[in-house]
Amino acid sequence: MQPFYRWRFILFSLAICSVTWVGPVGRGLAATLQCENLRCEYLKDPLGIDETKPRLSWIVTTSDRDQMQTAYQILVATTEANLRAGVGDLWDTGKLASDETTQIVYGGQALASRESCFWKVRSWDRDGKEGKWSAPARWQMGLLDPGEWTARWISATNSASPPSTAGAPYLRKSFTLTAPVQRAVLYASALGLYEVHLNGHRVGDHILAPDWTDYRKRVRYQAYEVTDLLKRGDNAIGALLGNGWYSGHIGNGGYQFFGKAPAFLAQLEVTYKDGRTERIGTDASWKFQASPVVSSDFMAGEDYDARLEIKHWDEVGLFDSGWSPVATREEVVPLEAQVMEPVREIVELAPKAITELTPGNWVYDLGQNMVGVVRLKVAAPAGTKVTLRYAEMLNPDGTLYTTNLRKALSVDHYVTRGGGVEIWQPRFTFHGFRYVEISGLPKPPGTDAVTGVVISTDTTRTGEFTCSDPRINQLQSNIQWGQRGNYISVPTDCPQRDERLGWMGDAQVFIRTATYNADVAAFFTKWLVDVDDGQSAEGSFSDVNPNTMGRNGVPAWGDAGVICPWSIYQAYGDKRILEKHLPAMIKWVEYLRQHSDGLIRDRDRGNDYGDWLAIGSITSKELIGTAYFAYSTHLVALACQVLDRTAEAAKYYQLFQDIRTAFVKKYVTSDGRIEGNTQCDYAMALKFELLPDELKPKAAQFLEDDIVAKGGHLSTGFVGVSYLLPVLTQNGKADTAYRLLLQDTFPSWLFSVKQGATTIWERWDGWTPDKGFQSPSMNSFNHYSLGSCGEYLFSGVAGIRAASPGFKEIMIDPVIRDGLTWANARFDSIHGEIATSWKRDGRNLTLKVVVPPNTTASVTIPAGSPAAITESGKPMDRARGVLFLRQDPDGCVFRVGSGTYSFACSMN
Ligand code: BGC
């Protein structure tokens, strides 16, 4: 194994040992470390964990500079009282010398199904001072043994016959609890979508539960704390059951792909105060009835007839003798716990403008291309049928542009019950839209008739970026809206047309951007299981996952099965994700090897999308295939090394070298020119380390020359675009990177911003002033892939990069060039908040930096010598917690410990 790989992540640590401090290390009056943000398997107080050795994490906070954790103690207890009393009857680590705060694998007593685990942690700082205990946190184990599911799958029909209704049936059951309730947990799932109610109250706040999986392989169940919703005596449980991904329309023509009709499963587990337990599960005693949700489908929309509402359908006392008995269904699909944040309602948008297009036909502009549903508020006579249509854009005449929805009808209907104000929103569909057209009302609807309800997988937002150019701020907003709208249960390509699939290529080009914008660790933990589920026996990953297309993975699409686990490891230091997926990653590389000649990917490249939606350049598909073969192989070698599988690491590193050799021999001339001479060529070759050192500057020059020849414009599609700006910057062409980033003429990132875009467009030329809308069959206005430049805003412009996996060691090196006068960024890493804020006035620069406790950072300041720099107004030799490392061509490099620093200098 090349020593380079062994050492690349720790070079920085070595560097700090070989230099001397220029300033005193004093830390003033030490405040102790406080442990916060306790999480289990990335989630806050999760209920229903199937992982028998879950991982714990926290962050440490302090007002003190240059602080480290030197030891921690974790207590895990079976009861809150034990935890309070300091009794870790499940696990007591004692004082353990360690600076780790993330990915701590539970090592206590074996955990049983339903086990409640209460935990807390405290840390010792670098002076050995003991911090206070954290606030208590908890997790609860799920149902670990399939035999513990005594409930049966139920359905309003039998899966062998056609669905009795395309709508969402009501299901219900009354039951009696014979004593006061101590605690109750409801476990529920569906082949389809469900909304569950207890005694007239909706349980939980999940939307579109359960998340999409390949239902032939697994289905996720959710657990809810429902103690407060139950009472001694008579109770009622009810559910609405939708088609969703299981039996409705899914992307690219799939209908009833997984099954004909949805099914529901619920198990309510009650512990009485007297210690007895009771279990109420779905079974043949449940009844069903048609509900007002007359039809429901992701692509078609939802129809609701409020006249069909059944009052108290989910309450005790309903006279349900007219309801039909449900059918029970034998399903063998394994049930696995929810492992990520669910889809939830995230935010609401009020309309910005309303236009009466033709009499009785009103168009509401929400001002933002969004994903979700509309909450409708109307008053009309009973039986009035209100029609809602959706679009991302308007035609020149102001009508809705819906051609790009292809076969997704995207129409909702609401039939009023009459008698006053009525409020409704669809439950089991969603749309991608900015404009909503309402028709069918006898009177003009008010401004409050429409509210946009935005839904998304509820990942915690971790990144904020702003700078002196409002166009770039809009670009960042568009990127974040794209992520929000397309991270719906799985990472999708688009939310509006008849597609909405887990396209692998899109996911892998965007993942690095995604990890800055939000905590997507749990989201990818779940989806990468779907990716492995979709792998063929021969080792090919699929183009989409959950795998509904059955296609062999295309270069750059299939490779997501390797790139995504690696990216999650990089962002969160998550070795387990590598462990779990390494076998599938290796199988993919072996598949690629089998389907190559002389290590050139000259055949069997599936649907072969090439540098998809490139503009004005064509990159050889064979070359892309070979480059990605090399890259995936290299990442497999690195993953093996991280996991101490040295022999395999050496084997795949050698294979990577051999592919590189074949690549250079076939496609690269001795002066560094690559076949085709496209921007995508050079971006890949430089990013994937395919070129010998001496050819790198030459290749970078060809790349820059092409951009200049195109008048400062890019020409890459999905495949090359995410690498372009980082590669230019890392190869001494940061001015050109800035030129591309700030370009606003066609084609460029800011071109769509200039046209008023509020999300990232699928195509560079989705709409142009000369030609109007392009290629309606492939013209989404909410596709995140081309927004993969978002990574560069954080890692380049703001200069926040991981120097070791999980940002335990940080590199701060903002790229400051003409065109921007300031930039501010905040990123909540798994180790805590990292922030930079720079401002220049001519040559004068100020740079503020926040480094979280228990991490270190190297900070590059673009000055000619340390003497030209101050920190908090003091010369650097008097700055606390700052160590001069070296002088680089780009500036002075310092090592800083945690804290807030304010540097000032005259720039080089
Ligand atoms: C999707 C893309 C996807 C592609 C494959 C499209 O229909 O919307 O984003 O990656 O197919 O070329």
Side-chain angles (χ1 to χ4, degrees), residues 629-883:
F629 177 22
Y631 188 44
S632 278
T633 304
H634 191 186
L635 296 187
V636 162
L638 291 171
C640 289
Q641 188 175 338
V642 169
L643 300 175
D644 293 326
R645 294 166 67 154
T646 323
E648 281 160 302
K651 171 180 156 187
Y652 287 106
Y653 187 72
Q654 187 56 52
L655 178 58
F656 164 59
Q657 292 291 4
D658 294 344
I659 306 167
R660 260 168 66 130
T661 306
F663 180 92
V664 172
K665 187 163 169 229
K666 175 134 199 212
Y667 306 117
V668 188
T669 63
S670 56
D671 67 348
R673 194 179 167 90
I674 302 179
E675 182 188 299
N677 196 42
T678 67
Q679 294 175 19
C680 181
D681 279 343
Y682 296 109
M684 284 188 303
L686 289 164
K687 163 76 186 175
F688 299 166
E689 300 177 41
L690 302 182
L691 302 175
D693 283 349
E694 66 280 9
L695 293 188
K696 286 181 186 166
K698 295 180 178 166
Q701 193 55 52
F702 283 121
L703 171 59
E704 182 173 63
D705 290 348
D706 188 72
I707 294 165
V708 172
K710 290 184 164 64
H713 291 99
L714 45 71
S715 67
T716 54
F718 282 25
V719 169
V721 69
S722 69
Y723 310 131
L724 208 48
L725 300 178
V727 151
L728 281 165
T729 301
Q730 282 149 22
N731 288 278
K733 309 285 183 196
D735 289 328
T736 304
Y738 256 54
R739 187 174 174 198
L740 276 186
L741 178 63
L742 298 173
Q743 177 63 267
D744 69 359
T745 57
F746 177 80
S748 64
W749 284 288
L750 294 186
F751 172 74
S752 64
V753 169
K754 213 164 68 172
Q755 311 311 318
T758 58
T759 35
I760 299 292
W761 294 355
E762 177 175 26
R763 324 174 61 86
W764 298 115
D765 60 354
W767 184 90
T768 63
D770 317 340
K771 298 186 181 156
F773 293 113
Q774 295 298 293
S775 313
S777 65
M778 203 60 84
N779 198 12
S780 139
F781 290 93
N782 194 358
H783 239 74
Y784 53 58
S785 295
L786 298 181
S788 54
C789 59
E791 173 200 5
Y792 185 75
L793 300 179
F794 288 93
S795 70
V797 178
I800 300 174
R801 293 202 291 283
S804 71
F807 291 82
K808 181 86 167 75
E809 286 160 7
I810 303 158
M811 214 186 290
I812 292 188
D813 184 8
V815 180
I816 300 168
R817 292 293 187 278
D818 289 345
L820 296 180
T821 54
W822 60 265
N824 296 334
R826 177 187 65 78
F827 169 58
D828 289 328
S829 75
I830 194 165
H831 283 97
E833 180 187 319
I834 306 167
T836 62
S837 169
W838 60 260
K839 189 167 190 229
R840 64 184 288 203
D841 180 6
R843 306 304 308 160
N844 293 330
L845 175 77
T846 55
L847 170 64
K848 290 188 183 145
V849 171
V850 177
V851 176
N854 201 35
T855 68
T856 53
S858 72
V859 181
T860 302
I861 300 170
S865 83
I869 308 172
T870 60
E871 193 283 309
S872 298
K874 294 183 199 141
M876 291 302 275
D877 57 1
R878 287 174 47 208
R880 244 181 347 108
V882 178
L883 171 69

Side-chain angles (χ1 to χ4, degrees), residues 225-247:
E225 175 79 55
V226 293
T227 314
D228 293 345
L229 297 179
L230 295 171
K231 55 186 193 301
R232 178 186 191 161
D234 292 338
N235 292 268
I237 181 167
L240 275 154
L241 186 57
N243 293 304
W245 296 283
Y246 182 77
S247 48

Side-chain angles (χ1 to χ4, degrees), residues 495-508:
Q496 72 299 83
R497 69 177 177 228
D498 57 345
E499 198 145 8
R500 315 180 194 189
L501 295 168
W503 279 100
M504 297 269 278
D506 308 44
Q508 70 89 355

Side-chain angles (χ1 to χ4, degrees), residues 160-396:
S161 35
S164 60
T165 167
Y170 281 141
L171 310 167
R172 68 169 265 129
K173 178 185 171 67
S174 306
F175 57 95
T176 305
L177 297 178
T178 54
V181 175
Q182 173 75 33
R183 179 143 194 252
V185 175
L186 174 65
Y187 302 91
S189 187
L191 295 166
L193 306 173
Y194 73 87
E195 187 182 292
V196 63
H197 293 225
L198 272 173
N199 293 328
H201 297 279
R202 183 171 161 207
V203 174
D205 55 3
H206 296 209
I207 307 275
L208 310 181
D211 284 302
W212 188 9
T213 50
D214 185 334
Y215 306 105
R216 298 163 299 191
K217 304 271 171 76
R218 69 195 74 234
V219 62
R220 300 281 178 183
Y221 69 86
Q222 292 68 51
Y224 306 94
E225 175 79 55
V226 293
T227 314
D228 293 345
L229 297 179
L230 295 171
K231 55 186 193 301
R232 178 186 191 161
D234 292 338
N235 292 268
I237 181 167
L240 275 154
L241 186 57
N243 293 304
W245 296 283
Y246 182 77
S247 48
H249 284 94
I250 49 174
N252 290 354
Y255 179 56
Q256 298 185 330
F257 183 83
F258 295 102
K260 296 248 183 262
F264 180 59
L265 182 78
Q267 189 159 301
L268 175 63
E269 299 195 349
V270 179
T271 307
Y272 292 121
K273 288 197 168 143
D274 59 18
R276 285 179 304 126
T277 59
E278 182 101 53
R279 200 179 275 187
I280 294 101
T282 40
D283 60 19
S285 69
W286 284 54
K287 292 181 170 179
F288 83 95
Q289 177 63 284
S291 87
V293 183
V294 176
S295 71
S296 147
D297 184 274
F298 284 143
M299 305 298 164
E302 195 157 299
D303 288 357
Y304 189 91
D305 188 339
R307 296 169 305 179
L308 304 179
E309 282 171 353
I310 301 175
K311 275 210 169 116
H312 314 301
W313 71 275
D314 51 359
E315 291 177 47
V316 174
L318 180 85
F319 189 61
D320 60 9
S321 62
W323 289 42
S324 312
V326 296
T328 56
R329 266 176 35 186
E330 292 310 316
E331 297 284 353
V332 288
V333 58
L335 282 149
E336 290 181 16
Q338 174 91 10
V339 291
M340 68 180 202
E341 302 87 350
V343 178
R344 290 197 177 99
E345 292 178 5
I346 302 296
V347 72
E348 298 190 354
L349 301 179
K352 295 269 185 278
I354 306 170
T355 316
E356 186 172 21
L357 204 56
T358 54
N361 195 333
W362 300 80
V363 174
Y364 285 66
D365 176 3
L366 292 163
Q368 172 64 53
N369 197 9
M370 58 158 276
V371 177
V373 293
V374 146
R375 181 172 309 128
L376 181 70
K377 188 175 170 198
V378 289
T384 305
K385 185 173 182 179
V386 186
T387 301
L388 297 161
R389 296 173 62 235
Y390 301 89
E392 296 179 291
M393 301 284 268
L394 296 179
N395 290 310

Side-chain angles (χ1 to χ4, degrees), residues 459-463 480 483 487 513-521 572 827-828:
T459 56
T460 304
R461 187 159 170 174
T462 51
Q480 281 185 326
Q483 179 166 340
Y487 278 13
T513 298
T515 57
Y516 277 108
N517 285 326
D519 179 354
V520 296
Y572 306 101
F827 169 58
D828 289 328

